[in-house]
Amino acid sequence: MHKFLRTIGFSLYEKDRDIDKLLDKLCEDLSDVKRIQIDEESNLCEIRREVAPGMGIAIYGEMDRDGKFQRMYYYPYLKSSDITSEVSCSIQRHTERETYAGLLDEYKVGISLIFYIDNSFECRERIIDHHSMDTSYSCLTGLAVSGKVLLPIQKSDKQREKARVAAKDRNNLLEAAKNGDEDAMETLTIEDIDLYSQASRRVMKEDLYSIIDSCFMPCGVECDQYSVIGEIIKIDEMKNHITEEEVYDFTLECSDLIFHVCIAKKDLTGTPEVGRRFKGQVWMQGTVKFKESEE
């Protein structure tokens, strides 16, 4: 069973046989199946079934000689049209499956951000057709099996503007340091030492989450899972039309990045409101927009 199925409203499907029955039912209609021929003897098929707008299950497999679909793997997905990053994305194929991972060297986060590419079928098509893999932007989403709502940190407009300017200056320094600017490296080192010293003093008297406004850091052993704390800027409520379970779709701002996080209502602790913060561990996935090849 896929761990994040409960995120999109399938919390009652806990046994493999129940999941198999669900997937078999979803694969009954093959009228909209996408198919590409990889070589003379193998092909790749994709079936997507929405259970709510922009949310559903993607199923991949192979079509045999008799026209019967042979399922190989599946995963839950959430789609977003909000652009998270315009940084060029590096794409690498996973070892064991026809799936792909994207890597963003995003200065705003300060780490190489790795995510599971949801439009992997398009990636494979472009590789077969020898099209460019250069990207224009990426739209990221996260699936969470549990989460909490934190109260916001009180800030004046002046403090918010000051933070935005400081973040922009730091991004410029990071870019300069990556290009070999020694002065920028030295400035960043001094800033990090000062920040560590300031945080160490404050943590003696203040709550940790009143110091850390937002957070985006790798979590666990899987490279596409992150622990995030982000401000909720929009809340959408959806319902799985198969199970009738209710799901939240949060639009978060975290480390100057905008992305969506999906979580089942029953798995969220606290009352979400715009302006409050979401804290949880998410499986990061997303879609990449490829640049159109010039004629």
Side-chain angles (χ1 to χ4, degrees):
M1 173 191 168
H2 200 289
K3 175 183 175 181
F4 292 94
L5 264 184
R6 68 179 297 113
T7 306
I8 63 169
F10 288 106
S11 63
L12 299 178
Y13 288 76
E14 296 180 345
K15 296 183 179 179
D16 287 341
R17 63 173 178 266
D18 295 330
I19 295 295
D20 288 338
K21 287 180 183 178
L22 171 67
L23 296 176
D24 288 341
K25 186 177 180 180
L26 295 177
C27 294
E28 286 177 355
D29 181 12
L30 299 178
S31 59
D32 58 346
V33 63
K34 291 183 179 179
R35 174 176 171 173
I36 51 175
Q37 199 70 30
I38 296 176
D39 54 46
E40 290 184 1
E41 297 186 356
S42 59
N43 57 72
L44 178 68
C45 297
E46 178 192 63
I47 299 173
R48 285 184 179 262
R49 294 291 179 260
E50 283 197 346
V51 296
M55 181 180 81
I57 299 177
I59 307 166
Y60 290 83
E62 192 173 34
M63 199 76 74
D64 63 19
R65 294 177 181 273
D66 299 324
K68 188 177 180 180
F69 180 72
Q70 303 292 333
R71 186 174 68 248
M72 292 188 290
Y73 59 92
Y74 70 96
Y75 65 86
Y77 69 86
L78 175 69
K79 282 191 172 295
S80 165
S81 58
D82 293 332
I83 297 174
T84 303
S85 174
E86 294 182 345
V87 173
S88 179
C89 179
S90 301
I91 298 172
Q92 294 288 332
R93 184 184 184 274
H94 289 131
T95 306
E96 76 281 8
R97 289 177 180 169
E98 196 67 55
T99 56
Y100 296 82
L103 185 145
L104 299 170
D105 281 322
E106 182 56 73
Y107 297 125
K108 296 175 183 177
V109 184
I111 59 173
S112 294
L113 200 163
I114 300 172
F115 62 98
Y116 188 98
I117 293 182
D118 184 37
N119 56 329
S120 58
F121 195 84
E122 183 183 0
C123 293
R124 186 55 178 159
E125 280 183 317
R126 295 183 74 88
I127 291 171
I128 291 175
D129 295 336
H130 304 290
H131 289 164
S132 169
M133 299 298 285
D134 294 335
T135 63
S136 300
Y137 58 82
S138 305
C139 304
L140 301 188
T141 58
L143 303 184
V145 294
S146 64
K148 297 178 181 178
V149 176
L150 305 179
L151 292 174
I153 296 177
Q154 274 194 325
K155 287 182 181 180
S156 64
D157 292 339
K158 187 176 181 180
Q159 287 175 315
R160 290 179 182 274
E161 183 59 32
K162 186 178 178 181
R164 277 194 289 267
V165 172
K168 187 177 180 181
D169 291 343
R170 182 174 175 81
N171 291 340
N172 292 335
L173 284 171
L174 285 167
E175 188 170 0
K178 188 176 180 181
N179 293 329
D181 189 327
E182 293 185 3
D183 291 337
M185 295 179 195
E186 185 177 345
T187 302
L188 285 168
T189 302
I190 294 171
E191 282 185 359
D192 286 344
I193 293 172
D194 290 342
L195 184 63
Y196 177 78
S197 176
Q198 183 183 1
S200 298
R201 288 195 303 270
R202 289 183 61 184
V203 80
M204 301 294 289
K205 299 179 180 180
E206 299 179 48
D207 180 78
L208 182 63
Y209 295 118
S210 67
I211 301 171
I212 301 174
D213 189 5
S214 66
C215 154
F216 202 115
M217 59 185 292
C219 182
V221 295
E222 295 185 57
C223 56
D224 52 9
Q225 295 195 23
Y226 297 87
S227 178
V228 301
I229 301 173
E231 182 181 346
I232 301 172
I233 59 177
K234 187 182 177 185
I235 302 172
D236 290 313
E237 296 184 32
M238 299 188 289
K239 183 180 285 188
N240 183 317
H241 68 74
I242 295 176
T243 63
E244 298 296 317
E245 290 186 33
E246 296 180 319
V247 173
Y248 283 121
D249 175 9
F250 295 139
T251 305
L252 299 186
E253 182 177 0
C254 176
S255 299
D256 272 347
L257 296 179
I258 303 293
F259 60 95
H260 287 243
V261 167
C262 180
I263 183 170
K265 268 193 177 183
K266 62 171 68 176
D267 294 329
L268 182 70
T269 303
T271 304
E273 289 183 9
V274 172
R276 293 183 178 181
R277 293 177 294 166
F278 170 83
K279 174 184 178 292
Q281 181 180 338
V282 302
W283 173 42
M284 194 61 64
Q285 57 180 227
T287 57
V288 292
K289 173 65 175 177
F290 293 101
K291 292 181 179 178
E292 297 299 329
S293 56
E294 297 180 2
E295 297 295 335

